[in-house]
Amino acid sequence: MHVSVPDNVLWRCLSGLCILTLRKPAGYYLLEDTAAEIWQAIAKGQQPDDIVASLCGRYDASPDTVRRDVNDLTEALGEQGLLAVQPECSKGSVEGAGHARQSGAILERESAEIMGIMTKMLVPLQGFLELTRRCNEKCVHCYLQDDPGDIGEGDELTLQRLKTLIAEMASAGCMELSISGGEPGIRADFDQVVYTAASHGIKVNLYTNGTAFSKQQVRDMAPLLSEVKVSLYGSDWRSHEAVTGVPGSFAATMRFLEWAKEASLEATIQFIAMRDNCSELEAVFRLANAVGFRWHVGAVIEPTLRGSLLPLKVRMSDAQALKFCQDAKRGAYGPEMAAGCRPDDKQETTLAIPCAAGFRMFSIRPDGVVYPCVRLPQEVGNVLTDSFETTWTRSPRMLDYRRQIRQGIPRWECPRCQLWRQCPLYCPGAALIETGDLWKAPASRCWFAGILKETW
């Protein structure tokens, strides 16, 4: 039997656990106890026979029992694409592989259990990196539209600091990094940032309008990226550019999507439904299907990070939002969108930690300021003055934020609301921006929760 770890498998071992994922869009997998030990041995190049001999020498177990467990685990991992197994070894017992999964050796597909474990362990698994606040579009709904420009090009983290920062993130346990802006493609060193993250075993997602990239750049970065999320606001130039405010931006974004398709790049079209473009929903849905990309609709328009209500002027009317939800419910935009508009129907009215921001997730501004989340503008550290590890584990402001979350739950308004069991939308960042309090209900989310209740 010969097994090896494929190049597209990313993994970290932390405190006796191993967490695994694939570079392309996929969930997370967790190995515990002996399963984690076996994985680490395989990752070091050891083969099953050597692993069996090593385990038999340390544990009071028969070689047959250990061999069966090792074979079961390798088969289960092989079925998920997490191990490359020689063809003659891939015909092992399906029953055994099922036993390995049922015994808890592998927890699949980004389950709440895995994410709960990472949150409890304070593993900074998923990060958000704003490379720049500069942008080549002027979108009417943008949450940065009132940004005063005090984070200019000269204030952005240098490439050298970004490289060391990414290494620090990986060492601390980060496995997924979403890169955005502004428009991240504006930075001349963007390609090097992506390469650095990928070379440290980090899954990279890109949020972009696609207009700043060349065809060759798309080809080069395709193997390094997990997914690209591309902003598209209409099916023609009139509807799209009414949002972006930039002539020619529709053609540039469509070229990017064409290049992404040619490069076999995983992409999701990000459509924000607004008062003046919601009539484009079906047309953009057909467009996404025609090019073979997934799509996602954002229906909740929120204030800017500084609290301006200006973006809410372009929000759908109540009637438009209700029609959108009703159409989604009947499947007009595909099964994923129908599921995404379904209320949560919560069975519990309290949560231990209502949001993973600052516990499993983090965000870093272009100037090095650290937030718990890109939409939760409470400064908890700065990677220009401290290492990422120091910021995450020992920053007084980060520790104080976590204390606020743990101690503030009794003040949380949302579980006492009549919409709570149907509302999928609580966000402490939205609450902080709109009310100045992490625990008050944000009106922009409550509005859409009411639409969902009326729909269902």
Side-chain angles (χ1 to χ4, degrees):
M1 174 180 286
H2 186 277
V3 296
S4 59
V5 180
D7 291 339
N8 67 329
V9 174
L10 311 176
W11 57 281
R12 297 277 187 274
C13 288
L14 304 159
S15 302
L17 303 177
C18 287
I19 185 164
L20 293 70
T21 189
L22 299 172
R23 190 174 297 281
K24 292 303 180 181
Y28 288 90
Y29 303 79
L30 191 67
L31 302 180
E32 303 173 275
D33 306 323
T34 307
E37 191 175 349
I38 294 170
W39 172 267
Q40 292 182 75
I42 293 172
K44 292 176 182 176
Q46 294 184 38
Q47 293 305 308
D49 288 345
D50 300 324
I51 296 170
V52 169
S54 174
L55 292 175
C56 285
R58 294 207 314 279
Y59 299 104
D60 184 18
S62 70
D64 288 344
T65 299
V66 174
R67 187 177 303 279
R68 183 176 63 250
D69 289 345
V70 171
N71 288 348
D72 286 350
L73 178 62
T74 55
E75 169 132 0
L77 292 168
E79 287 181 352
Q80 300 299 331
L82 300 168
L83 274 185
V85 184
Q86 292 289 0
E88 64 270 22
C89 302
S90 63
K91 300 178 182 179
S93 164
V94 175
E95 180 181 354
H99 170 74
R101 286 193 293 275
Q102 291 168 11
S103 68
I106 300 179
L107 307 178
E108 298 181 24
R109 302 301 300 173
E110 199 166 358
S111 68
E113 184 175 3
I114 294 177
M115 294 298 103
I117 291 170
M118 296 296 102
T119 300
K120 185 176 181 180
M121 293 176 61
L122 297 178
V123 176
L125 190 71
Q126 298 158 314
F128 207 97
L129 179 62
E130 290 183 280
L131 282 186
T132 182
R133 286 283 175 88
R134 294 174 287 142
C135 190
N136 54 5
E137 294 184 344
K138 297 172 284 188
C139 296
V140 296
H141 64 287
C142 182
Y143 65 85
L144 295 175
Q145 63 181 271
D146 63 343
D147 188 87
D150 53 355
I151 306 177
E153 183 175 2
D155 303 304
E156 296 168 1
L157 295 173
T158 65
L159 177 61
Q160 186 55 49
R161 179 60 186 119
L162 284 167
K163 287 181 175 181
T164 59
L165 173 61
I166 289 168
E168 292 166 4
M169 291 177 188
S171 179
C174 180
M175 295 189 68
E176 186 168 353
L177 190 62
S178 295
I179 296 178
S180 76
E183 170 48 49
I186 286 178
R187 280 195 59 146
D189 52 12
F190 169 83
D191 305 42
Q192 296 181 65
V193 175
V194 171
Y195 176 80
T196 300
S199 66
H200 279 89
I202 295 176
K203 178 187 295 194
V204 182
N205 304 313
L206 171 62
Y207 287 76
T208 181
N209 58 42
T211 61
F213 296 102
S214 68
K215 186 174 185 177
Q216 189 59 50
Q217 278 182 298
V218 175
R219 287 176 177 171
D220 291 344
M221 68 183 178
L224 306 176
L225 292 174
S226 174
E227 185 177 15
V228 175
K229 301 190 177 184
V230 186
S231 300
L232 184 69
Y233 306 117
S235 62
D236 59 29
W237 69 268
R238 289 179 180 84
S239 53
H240 180 80
E241 291 171 13
V243 175
T244 67
V246 177
S249 57
F250 177 75
T253 295
M254 293 304 296
R255 277 197 305 271
F256 178 86
L257 289 170
E258 179 183 341
W259 297 337
K261 183 69 175 177
E262 292 175 0
S264 299
L265 186 55
E266 297 279 351
T268 295
I269 290 175
Q270 301 273 92
F271 181 89
I272 306 298
M274 293 171 268
R275 186 179 299 269
D276 293 335
N277 78 340
C278 61
S279 60
E280 289 283 296
L281 276 159
E282 290 193 28
V284 175
F285 176 54
R286 290 194 298 269
L287 186 156
N289 283 338
V291 295
F293 290 146
R294 292 181 297 276
W295 85 315
H296 176 266
V297 177
V300 179
I301 304 292
E302 296 178 322
T304 68
L305 284 186
R306 291 176 172 266
S308 168
L309 301 181
L310 190 61
L312 272 60
K313 293 182 178 180
V314 301
R315 186 173 75 182
M316 287 187 290
S317 68
D318 290 2
Q320 288 173 325
L322 181 60
K323 182 179 186 304
F324 161 68
C325 289
Q326 290 172 337
D327 289 346
K329 178 183 177 180
R330 65 178 175 82
Y333 311 126
E336 289 188 11
M337 190 57 58
C341 282
R342 185 182 297 276
D344 269 7
D345 192 24
K346 300 179 184 67
Q347 299 304 308
E348 300 292 336
T349 58
T350 59
L351 296 173
I353 298 294
C355 177
F359 291 82
R360 188 188 74 240
M361 301 163 57
F362 63 90
S363 179
I364 299 178
R365 272 188 355 194
D367 59 351
V369 169
V370 181
Y371 288 161
C373 171
V374 69
R375 288 289 293 166
L376 203 166
Q378 180 170 324
E379 296 187 19
V380 292
N382 194 314
V383 294
L384 277 180
T385 56
D386 294 299
S387 70
F388 178 80
E389 191 275 338
T390 297
T391 300
W392 183 256
T393 61
R394 298 190 292 279
S395 164
R397 288 180 291 177
M398 178 69 88
L399 298 178
D400 182 63
Y401 166 77
R402 291 178 185 145
R403 192 159 42 245
Q404 289 179 55
I405 295 297
R406 291 188 178 107
Q407 296 177 357
I409 291 176
R411 296 197 299 109
W412 189 11
E413 286 186 352
C414 292
R416 298 190 290 273
C417 173
Q418 61 177 347
L419 297 174
W420 169 246
R421 288 188 181 276
Q422 289 79 37
C423 178
L425 300 166
Y426 171 70
C427 170
L432 183 66
I433 291 169
E434 295 185 38
T435 73
D437 190 323
L438 291 164
W439 302 107
K440 290 188 178 296
S444 63
R445 303 290 179 115
C446 299
W447 166 77
F448 196 67
I451 299 291
L452 286 177
K453 183 178 182 182
E454 187 172 350
T455 302
W456 292 89

